[in-house]
Amino acid sequence: MSKNTVNVLLIEDNPGDARLVQETLAQVGGGRFHLECADTLTTGVERLARQPIDAVLLDLALPDSQGLDTVRRALEGAPGVAIVVLTSTDDDVLAAQALHAGAQDYLVKGSLDGDLLARTLRHAIERGHLVRELKQRNEELDSFTHSVSHDLKEPLRALEAFSQFLLEDCADRLDEQGRDYLMKIADASIRMKNLVDELLTLSRASRQPGPPSRVDVGGLVGEIIAGIQPVIDARGAALAVEKGLPDVIAEPAWLKEVFANLIGNAVKFNKSELPHVNIGVRAMDGGMATFYVQDNGIGIDPQYHERIFDMFERLNRREEYEGTGAGLAIVKRVLENLGGKIWVESELGAGATFLFTLPVWAEATASTEEQAA
Amino acid sequence: MASRQQGRPIEILLVEDNPGDIRLTQEALRDNKVRNNMAVARDGAEALALLRREGQYADSPRPDLILLDLNLPKIDGREVLRRIKDDKKLRPIPVVILTTSRDEQDVLKAYGLHANCYVAKPVELEQFMEVVRSIEGFWLTVVTLPEAKAA
Amino acid sequence: MIAQNLKPAEILLVEDNPDDVDITLRAFHKLRVAYTLHVVRDGQEALDFLFCEGEYSGRAGLPRPDLVLLDLNLPKVDGPEVLAKIRASDGLSTMPVIVLTVSERQEDIQGSYKLGANTYITKPVDFAKFMHAVEVLGEYWIAIAKLPSRAA
């Protein structure tokens, strides 16, 4: 087979539909597409393992798999292969979910023609390449960040240690200006150390976290609050947590990091006389829950609403951002890895509400997984 | 710290026949910053059965640290030490000899049998508690204990 | 109060990173126990010191150190090899060796304990914690633990 031939695997159990696709593809001139067929997901995945396939046309309703599960299992069976989903009706929601789950594109079975099919397949393959390359570049970047920040720690330790020793031993031999300079060096080295720590955490947050599991959010929030009780008492803060927070699917340690960061910031950097922090759920929709952490602090100017989540932007505005604390970049990265997102609603002088979404754990999720197993 | 990796409490095995010393050691290790569980074996045979997970000890967790008295009934502490350090699986577990003898020969012999450390038990109560806390302060917070490998 | 050795404890520090040497020395300086600290910068020098060879042949007849602090990443001869040679030698096999190194890898940890290291300590990255760890280790091994006598 010449390397210009595109090898396509059709996974479709309905013989009529399969024939339709075959004929449609045959219309595309030049014999450039080579089509094979499998009628169950299992045989399809086996076929993928044997010889390279460039793209998969995937029917979602198969004898041994249904819906989004099919997409997931196909991706597991052949990571990196471009998948174009075939839907029987104009089911936009399912199609969009399939894309979100990792399919490159979708086609409605009733509206196929040779050109559309050919174009869709070619685009899907290209996109697949790009996504793979992007993933690889990101991994390399994270790996780089990790090594650099790891290696930076050693000279930083020396910096901190020796400026400390100098202060201890020679402070009385320096004049006030000299001591001031020395303190500035010591402070700067601590700031740099904290920054490197954050970079390290950020790079770790990007790696594949541990397996997600069911997390009791109410319990988690309770633990965090108990952990910072001394700070809460010292600030005289009042915390209110909604009852009945839904369980979510997440990696527990990282989720704890998210909540700890947001709640901690809300308490620590709230300059009002009677700090209030409210935690709860604002909405549940399409399998995702939108949580909020709201405070009555100084608020954040709308022009910074996106930039506060950037790692380095914060540094330039240290004075202004002291209030938002550290780690929002990490929080954002972690949430994105868990399939959610984060944003803020706030006006200056009117407090801030951090909103973030997470996939809800539902009974349905459990039983689908049991069936698929 | 071993527990750093998993967030689980550190498992300590105390091999000691004197009930008073057992009680004091438990007291001293109880309220500390690092979570730990203490199992007690009252003679050498029990200690070995527990370490080898024989019989009723089939589900016992592998200790991260062993505190071992030398003078034990049934099987003497030196013999227990020898067998632990001869066993490939048990060998990495740090063994701290915690015993009354201050005799140099005993000390030398224990290190010769590959004891990780030898601590002489003070007779006086306050000092005893303080020594146990120092053991905790060192072995549970500063030291990196070897991970128990999956069996 | 806690029994101390009457003579100053003799300690050999095997460490190639000069900054870590300085920090370690300073941490020891804070201890309330008496000690003498020798520093060597690579594995070969460590072996020469311990076996009284090369530039240290003049040490023949002197007692071995009471305690060795051993980094694993050393030039010339690495830490694990130094440890193995110590344990293989009749005269040095009971000498307490504390591995003090940056690695957190299980293979290094397990490997060191299996080779007969008495203790493994991962050098804390944080400077204050590093000082604290050295202070605790010095205090424990010199004032609390009983060290084997060095008489041949």
Side-chain angles (χ1 to χ4, degrees):
Chain A
M1 232 158 287
S2 84
K3 60 177 159 69
N4 288 325
T5 315
V6 178
N7 293 307
V8 182
L9 174 67
L10 168 67
I11 308 182
E12 168 65 71
D13 64 319
N14 181 313
D17 288 347
R19 205 166 36 244
L20 181 61
V21 173
Q22 267 171 320
E23 284 168 5
T24 311
L25 207 49
Q27 283 168 31
V28 181
R32 286 188 209 103
F33 289 91
H34 173 81
L35 185 72
E36 288 180 49
C37 294
D39 59 1
T40 63
L41 184 58
T42 316
T43 44
V45 171
E46 276 169 27
R47 172 61 192 82
L48 284 166
R50 270 183 283 126
Q51 263 176 299
I53 289 283
D54 299 307
V56 172
L57 287 167
L58 184 64
D59 178 32
L60 293 185
L62 294 166
D64 54 348
S65 181
Q66 291 294 316
L68 285 182
D69 220 35
T70 313
V71 178
R72 213 175 27 90
R73 287 172 59 196
L75 282 166
E76 273 169 31
V81 171
I83 294 182
V84 176
V85 156
L86 297 170
T87 61
S88 325
T89 56
D90 256 309
D91 192 347
D92 258 353
V93 177
L94 182 60
Q97 287 177 329
L99 289 178
H100 191 72
Q104 301 302 342
D105 211 333
Y106 68 92
L107 287 166
V108 180
K109 280 194 230 182
S111 334
L112 290 180
D113 74 57
D115 286 339
L116 177 61
L117 192 49
R119 207 177 75 220
T120 307
L121 284 168
R122 289 198 192 282
H123 267 185
I125 292 168
E126 275 310 306
R127 255 193 72 182
H129 287 326
L130 284 172
V131 168
R132 265 202 306 284
E133 212 184 299
L134 189 60
K135 272 199 183 137
Q136 196 184 336
R137 295 275 176 92
N138 281 346
E139 273 169 22
E140 284 171 67
L141 193 58
D142 287 329
S143 184
F144 175 74
T145 308
H146 185 91
S147 348
V148 165
S149 38
H150 193 269
D151 291 346
L152 280 174
K153 284 195 166 202
E154 198 247 298
L156 276 173
R157 177 168 71 201
L159 197 54
E160 208 193 330
F162 295 119
S163 47
Q164 189 62 38
F165 296 163
L166 203 52
L167 268 173
E168 281 171 18
D169 293 353
C170 304
D172 51 353
R173 274 178 271 163
L174 292 169
D175 66 357
E176 191 156 326
Q177 182 73 281
R179 276 196 290 279
D180 185 50
Y181 287 156
L182 199 45
M183 298 244 23
K184 287 190 156 95
I185 293 175
D187 281 344
S189 72
I190 292 175
R191 278 207 306 283
M192 196 145 98
K193 187 184 76 169
N194 290 337
L195 179 55
V196 168
D197 274 338
E198 284 172 30
L199 272 175
L200 210 47
T201 310
L202 185 65
S203 76
R204 274 207 299 262
S206 305
R207 296 172 168 195
Q208 261 306 81
S213 55
R214 178 181 187 175
V215 182
D216 167 19
V217 175
L220 189 76
V221 171
E223 265 177 45
I224 290 166
I225 293 177
I228 58 168
Q229 197 60 51
V231 182
I232 295 173
D233 293 338
R235 302 275 303 116
L239 271 77
V241 183
E242 261 180 39
K243 293 247 173 297
L245 292 174
D247 289 351
V248 298
I249 305 167
E251 204 279 328
W254 283 119
L255 188 62
K256 196 165 182 184
E257 180 91 21
V258 168
F259 275 101
N261 224 287
L262 294 172
I263 297 173
N265 288 353
V267 171
K268 282 183 264 185
F269 301 119
N270 188 333
K271 297 188 176 100
S272 51
E273 278 185 24
L274 289 169
H276 277 251
V277 180
N278 300 323
I279 300 145
V281 161
R282 184 182 279 189
M284 301 253 283
D285 170 42
M288 305 288 279
T290 306
F291 293 90
Y292 67 84
V293 175
Q294 176 191 48
D295 67 66
N296 64 341
I298 50 169
I300 304 163
D301 190 322
Q303 65 172 305
Y304 301 132
H305 282 191
E306 298 208 357
R307 280 147 68 175
I308 50 169
F309 295 105
D310 286 342
M311 186 73 214
F312 294 104
E313 192 60 41
R314 182 179 67 87
L315 275 190
N316 296 336
R317 305 189 182 281
R318 194 165 26 121
E319 314 79 46
E320 286 157 52
Y321 288 162
E322 251 247 294
T324 64
L328 282 178
I330 296 166
V331 165
K332 179 170 179 226
R333 186 74 72 93
V334 169
L335 281 167
E336 282 168 3
N337 275 347
L338 294 174
K341 47 184 192 139
I342 183 169
W343 68 100
V344 68
E345 286 171 6
S346 177
E347 298 286 331
L348 274 176
T353 305
F354 281 87
L355 294 136
F356 55 100
T357 57
L358 284 164
V360 180
W361 189 91
E363 288 298 335
T365 321
S367 52
T368 320
E369 283 171 358
E370 278 164 29
Q371 276 173 17
Chain B
M1 281 181 275
S3 63
R4 165 180 56 197
Q5 272 134 346
Q6 293 169 9
R8 59 170 176 83
I10 297 183
E11 304 286 342
I12 303 174
L13 171 63
L14 172 66
V15 189
E16 171 63 65
D17 64 323
N18 180 314
D21 286 352
I22 294 175
R23 172 85 190 285
L24 286 177
T25 310
Q26 282 172 322
E27 282 277 329
L29 286 174
R30 210 187 20 199
D31 302 316
N32 61 65
K33 311 152 270 187
V34 183
R35 290 188 302 150
N36 65 84
N37 294 330
M38 195 162 85
V40 181
R42 288 174 174 74
D43 61 64
E46 202 186 330
L48 289 170
L50 200 151
L51 286 165
R52 293 189 183 136
R53 302 199 201 165
E54 289 165 1
Q56 59 176 151
Y57 302 111
D59 291 325
S60 300
R62 179 185 175 281
D64 297 304
L65 178 68
I66 301 173
L67 303 178
L68 177 65
D69 187 9
L70 286 181
N71 306 313
L72 297 169
K74 298 211 183 138
I75 302 181
D76 169 72
R78 295 158 193 82
E79 184 57 33
V80 173
L81 174 59
R82 187 200 313 268
R83 292 197 202 172
I84 289 173
K85 293 301 179 181
D86 273 348
D87 181 322
K88 246 183 80 174
K89 287 212 196 98
L90 300 174
R91 190 186 155 80
I93 308 177
V95 179
V96 177
I97 303 295
L98 183 57
T99 196
T100 42
S101 165
R102 288 170 188 277
D103 184 73
E104 261 188 33
Q105 285 307 311
D106 282 335
V107 175
L108 205 52
K109 222 173 140 191
Y111 280 106
L113 289 171
H114 310 294
N116 293 74
C117 187
Y118 189 112
V119 177
K121 276 192 232 179
V123 165
E124 207 267 322
L125 170 65
E126 238 349 279
Q127 288 183 26
F128 180 88
M129 299 290 275
E130 202 178 313
V131 162
V132 175
R133 285 198 198 101
S134 298
I135 292 176
E136 173 238 334
F138 181 63
W139 288 98
L140 268 58
T141 49
V142 168
V143 172
T144 305
L145 297 167
E147 274 286 294
K149 285 209 202 120
Chain C
M1 181 196 52
I2 304 284
Q4 295 186 13
N5 296 322
L6 293 167
K7 286 190 310 236
E10 277 209 51
I11 305 171
L12 175 67
L13 172 62
V14 188
E15 172 63 66
D16 68 318
N17 182 317
D19 294 338
D20 284 354
V21 169
D22 282 345
I23 300 175
T24 305
L25 285 177
R26 192 160 171 119
F28 263 92
H29 203 60
K30 288 189 171 182
L31 295 177
R32 300 161 290 159
V33 295
Y35 67 92
T36 313
L37 199 77
H38 306 273
V39 183
V40 293
R41 305 291 171 130
D42 62 63
Q44 188 55 57
E45 217 188 319
L47 292 173
D48 288 346
F49 184 98
L50 291 166
F51 292 101
C52 307
E53 283 165 3
E55 61 184 295
Y56 292 105
S57 44
R59 280 192 58 87
L62 292 176
R64 62 157 177 75
D66 285 303
L67 189 63
V68 177
L69 301 183
L70 179 66
D71 188 9
L72 290 183
N73 307 318
L74 298 167
K76 296 195 189 154
V77 178
D78 69 15
E81 206 184 317
V82 173
L83 179 53
K85 291 206 153 89
I86 289 173
R87 286 295 175 246
S89 140
D90 281 335
L92 299 176
S93 61
T94 58
M95 180 176 66
V97 177
I98 300 175
V99 170
L100 181 60
T101 194
V102 288
S103 166
E104 297 175 272
R105 295 186 328 187
Q106 270 309 306
E107 38 190 293
D108 289 328
I109 300 168
Q110 295 274 344
S112 302
Y113 278 110
K114 280 189 182 150
L115 276 174
N118 297 67
T119 297
Y120 187 107
I121 296 178
T122 309
K123 282 188 210 171
V125 170
D126 181 276
F127 139 74
K129 290 190 181 139
F130 183 40
M131 294 269 294
H132 177 74
V134 175
E135 284 170 43
V136 171
L137 108 79
E139 189 88 37
Y140 177 80
W141 278 97
I142 300 174
I144 305 285
K146 286 197 77 65
L147 299 167
S149 70
R150 304 184 280 165

